[in-house]
């Protein structure tokens, strides 16, 4: 997860592309106008709550098996 309002956006996009090219299952989530670590603010940000839901879904999907 990376926000469009943080300095790590381009780095995150490049890392996700390289990981995907190497066969890693990647789900890059780009939060529009979000800042660094916005999921930590789930108690006060609806976007943070949504992000935690996506994190949980990703984890559950990868723990199956």
């Amino acid at each position: 997860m990376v926000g469009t309002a943080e300095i790590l956006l381009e780095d995150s996009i490049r890392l996700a592309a390289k990981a995907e090219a190497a066969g890693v299952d990647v789900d890059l989530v780009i939060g529009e106008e979000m800042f660094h670590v916005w999921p930590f603010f789930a108690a006060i940000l609806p976007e943070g709550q949504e992000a935690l839901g996506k994190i949980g879904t990703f984890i559950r999907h990868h723990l199956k098996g």
Side-chain angles (χ1 to χ4, degrees):
M1 295 190 151
V2 65
T4 59
E6 66 172 285
I7 197 166
L8 298 174
L9 175 60
E10 296 302 320
D11 291 337
S12 297
I13 292 170
R14 280 192 301 274
L15 177 62
K18 286 183 179 187
E20 194 168 41
V24 176
D25 186 14
V26 174
D27 184 12
L28 178 63
V29 175
I30 300 175
E32 195 65 37
E33 297 184 25
M34 288 293 104
F35 48 89
H36 191 63
V37 299
W38 85 90
F40 286 147
F41 295 89
I44 59 173
L45 273 180
E47 296 89 348
Q49 294 169 13
E50 182 181 346
L52 289 183
K54 288 180 180 184
I55 291 167
T57 299
F58 183 87
I59 291 170
R60 282 189 299 278
H61 172 76
H62 287 85
L63 289 180
K64 288 181 184 178

